[in-house]
Amino acid sequence: MMIEVANLQKAFGSNQVLRDISFEVAQGDVIAILGASGSGKSTLLRSLIHLETVDGGSIAIEGQDLVRDGVYAGREQIRRLTARMGMVFQAYNLFPNMTVKKNLTLPFILTGRGSRAQAQDRCLELLGKVGLLDKLNDFPASLSGGQQQRVAIARALMLNPDIMLFDEPTSALDPQITGEVLNTMKDLASDHMTMLVVTHELGFARNVANKVIFMHQGIIEEAGTAEAVFTQPQSPVTEAFLRL
Amino acid sequence: MDYIISMLPMLLEGTVTSLKLFAFALVLSIPLGLPVALQLRSRFRPLRWLANVYVYIFRSTPLMLQLVIIYFGLPRIPGIGPYLLLDRFHAAILAFVLNYIAYFAEIYRSGLLGVNRSQFEACQVLGLSHWQAQTRVIFPQMFRICLPSVANEVITLLKDTSLLYAVSVAELIHNAEAIVNRDANMTALMVALVIYMILNFFLTVILKHLESRFSWGKNL
Ligand SMILES: Nc1ncnc2c1ncn2[C@@H]1O[C@H](COP(=O)(O)OP(=O)(O)O)[C@@H](O)[C@H]1O
Ligand SMILES: [Mg+2]
């Protein structure tokens, strides 16, 4: 299994945000995580890449423990495991003080992935893939939201992750331009990237994801193949959400 | 006109002294303000407290007084005093640097608050170390936010060099006044005024240029 999550618990103060989350992700899975605002989707995703520390439960990446029964692995193991994941944020979070090229190449070089020349080659290849080669020397502020998000995806891909996490990647975009980002993600899915995508794009969840996790108040209310969850939701809460 | 030209050597000599102090104070206080700013936000309470007291003292008292105390007062401390006797110019550099570090630290502190927290998260998921995140991502953005306030202080610093007068260093105003007293004629002070304006003109141009260089594709 690519990712195994068991009995995950997380509270902010007295607010129990993740109650008892368990699921598995296989190589090449594209999992859409759906649910109302506040149901704990972001917290779950952020816990996987150690932007949040959980209170209990286990997370293993390709059989190696990030945290087991609430006890975290050593610093080095955490670094190694989280390095296999890339993350794309709702607000892109590009570095505004660097050109597109620098945004892509700097982390590659600083984390010792390869030489400057290798960084450059990979940067050109990935920008070509997301269709933004001409923006190489532009600063993020001069790009549209959709372009910035595609740069952010390319930046995450620079580090050659095995798993990509997306937290509402299109929620900050105008409806007309969500398509360009969703298409980039669709390409990634057809390259067999393992993806966890928190999204409100039901079309994407239905057509691109192979599995769907529906969260409600900190638990997984329902999970299954996209086909099953969309056509025969078992839980009335899920059904109500999908009808909305 | 001949009169003005005749006084220029003495005024320019004073200007050079003023500019020397300006340059030393600037080159030392601009970078040193940063570690102090970080201590202002330190998680370690005593350090944070110390940094806040330091900034408070130097920002709430007149620079002139700080200068006088460092020059005249420090050598009178019993025991270690004799080792603290600095010549006037070095005493001035010390006072200016300590004072401006406090100002820059406070400016940087508010600049750090202006950098989006999510930038740190982006660094983290990209595997950057804390130090790499700070130096490559956070500090440059902080500095961009602070630039207008820093520019303000830099211009104030140039004018503050006239406080050297208080410890009788032969800077621009000191020399101008010597000429005024010698000739019973105000012209020298007028010329000093023009010299300050010219210096500040160039300074302003340089600072504006810096701001636009750090615009990063945004229209300012
Ligand atoms: N850093 C935080 N501190 C305190 N509460 C938080 C924090 N992050 C999220 N929460 C709370 O946790 C709950 C779940 O948030 P989140 O995981 O962002 O939900 P979702 O992404 O599904 O909208 C919400 O009630 C939110 O207010
Ligand atoms: Mg969220």
Side-chain angles (χ1 to χ4, degrees):
Chain A
M1 278 295 142
M2 209 66 172
I3 306 178
E4 289 155 278
V5 174
N7 313 108
L8 216 56
Q9 317 255 355
K10 167 77 182 173
F12 291 108
S14 61
N15 183 6
Q16 193 70 37
V17 175
L18 301 179
R19 287 166 195 277
D20 185 18
I21 302 282
S22 303
F23 64 94
E24 292 185 339
V25 182
Q27 154 70 39
D29 268 350
V30 177
I31 300 186
I33 302 174
L34 308 179
S37 174
S39 56
K41 307 181 296 294
S42 296
T43 306
L44 172 59
L45 215 56
R46 291 163 56 82
S47 298
L48 295 179
I49 199 164
H50 197 48
L51 285 177
E52 306 286 356
T53 40
V54 297
D55 306 327
S58 308
I59 300 171
I61 312 293
E62 293 189 83
Q64 294 185 291
D65 288 336
L66 177 71
V67 51
R68 166 135 320 255
D69 298 324
V71 180
Y72 272 90
R75 190 193 262 260
E76 184 49 34
Q77 168 127 330
I78 292 176
R79 201 195 54 72
R80 200 158 37 77
L81 293 179
T82 53
R84 313 182 80 142
M85 296 179 256
M87 178 145 184
V88 174
F89 300 89
Q90 178 175 344
Y92 335 125
N93 296 3
L94 293 176
F95 303 134
N97 55 317
M98 301 174 200
T99 60
V100 166
K101 178 178 167 187
K102 199 84 189 276
N103 262 281
L104 267 66
T105 55
L106 190 78
F108 184 92
I109 294 166
L110 287 183
T111 56
R113 306 298 168 107
S115 68
R116 205 163 279 275
Q118 288 168 318
Q120 171 115 354
D121 288 349
R122 195 164 165 73
C123 166
L124 295 178
E125 179 197 326
L126 286 170
L127 280 182
K129 217 169 180 171
V130 299
L132 291 171
L133 257 185
D134 55 324
K135 303 296 183 190
L136 190 64
N137 295 310
D138 289 7
F139 282 95
S142 60
L143 305 184
S144 72
Q147 291 169 336
Q148 289 192 52
Q149 194 59 296
R150 285 186 283 155
V151 171
I153 293 172
R155 181 175 71 172
L157 292 175
M158 276 297 284
L159 304 180
N160 203 15
D162 301 322
I163 302 159
M164 283 286 283
L165 310 176
F166 295 83
D167 192 359
E168 303 201 30
T170 57
S171 294
L173 302 175
D174 292 335
Q176 314 88 278
I177 54 174
T178 56
E180 61 185 69
V181 172
L182 293 174
N183 280 334
T184 301
M185 292 165 61
K186 207 188 274 179
D187 291 345
L188 211 52
S190 42
D191 288 347
H192 309 293
M193 175 63 80
T194 306
M195 296 162 63
L196 273 79
V197 185
V198 172
T199 185
H200 294 294
E201 298 283 344
L202 298 186
F204 179 86
R206 186 163 195 165
N207 301 321
V208 183
N210 61 332
K211 292 183 194 154
V212 169
I213 288 175
F214 177 76
M215 288 187 65
H216 180 62
Q217 295 176 354
I219 58 161
I220 294 183
E221 176 77 14
E222 181 157 358
T225 64
E227 176 67 17
V229 173
F230 274 97
T231 55
Q232 298 159 330
Q234 302 297 304
S235 149
V237 190
T238 315
E239 188 172 11
F241 180 85
L242 294 178
R243 281 243 190 77
L244 221 65
Chain B
M1 195 63 203
D2 283 349
Y3 176 59
I4 292 178
I5 290 172
S6 77
M7 68 175 69
L8 275 184
M10 203 168 154
L11 290 181
L12 290 181
E13 202 180 303
T15 307
V16 169
T17 305
S18 300
L19 283 178
K20 256 197 215 158
L21 173 62
F22 172 75
F24 276 118
L26 196 65
V27 165
L28 290 171
S29 61
I30 287 220
L32 290 177
L34 190 52
V36 176
L38 294 179
Q39 298 324 311
L40 286 173
R41 294 168 31 118
S42 172
R43 254 180 255 166
F44 186 53
R45 226 174 237 256
L47 264 181
R48 196 171 66 219
W49 186 83
L50 212 65
N52 274 294
V53 168
Y54 166 75
V55 168
Y56 174 72
I57 290 176
F58 279 90
R59 290 210 317 156
S60 62
T61 59
L63 175 53
M64 158 104 77
L65 205 54
Q66 295 161 17
L67 177 56
V68 168
I69 287 175
I70 285 175
Y71 179 58
F72 294 109
L74 287 190
R76 298 192 185 187
I77 300 175
I80 54 166
Y83 301 101
L84 299 176
L85 182 59
L86 297 168
D87 74 60
R88 289 153 201 263
F89 190 69
H90 287 105
I93 290 178
L94 182 60
F96 272 66
V97 168
L98 288 175
N99 180 268
Y100 273 87
I101 283 177
Y103 276 94
F104 286 130
E106 188 56 28
I107 290 172
Y108 295 160
R109 187 191 63 79
S110 62
L112 285 171
L113 291 177
V115 179
N116 207 321
R117 256 210 66 80
S118 58
Q119 288 287 307
F120 242 126
E121 296 189 341
C123 292
Q124 204 178 325
V125 301
L126 291 166
L128 270 55
S129 69
H130 187 76
W131 174 248
Q132 289 169 338
Q134 297 266 37
T135 52
R136 305 305 187 105
V137 176
I138 308 298
F139 294 162
Q141 292 181 48
M142 172 216 73
F143 198 69
R144 175 67 196 87
I145 293 170
C146 294
L147 207 47
S149 315
V150 169
N152 245 329
E153 289 306 323
V154 171
I155 285 171
T156 306
L157 171 60
L158 182 62
K159 292 182 288 180
D160 274 355
T161 57
S162 62
L163 292 175
L164 274 181
Y165 183 76
V167 289
S168 314
V169 171
E171 49 72 61
L172 177 52
I173 300 286
H174 180 274
N175 284 2
E177 203 163 69
I179 297 171
V180 168
N181 290 335
R182 185 190 66 198
D183 302 346
N185 183 325
M186 291 288 287
T187 316
L189 280 174
M190 291 301 140
V191 177
L193 190 109
V194 172
I195 291 176
Y196 273 115
M197 283 170 63
I198 292 171
L199 291 178
N200 261 324
F201 174 78
F202 286 114
L203 200 52
T204 309
V205 169
I206 293 170
L207 291 167
K208 281 278 168 240
H209 176 74
L210 260 182
E211 270 191 52
S212 62
R213 252 210 62 187
F214 283 92
S215 67
W216 300 327
K218 271 175 242 162
N219 291 319
L220 296 171

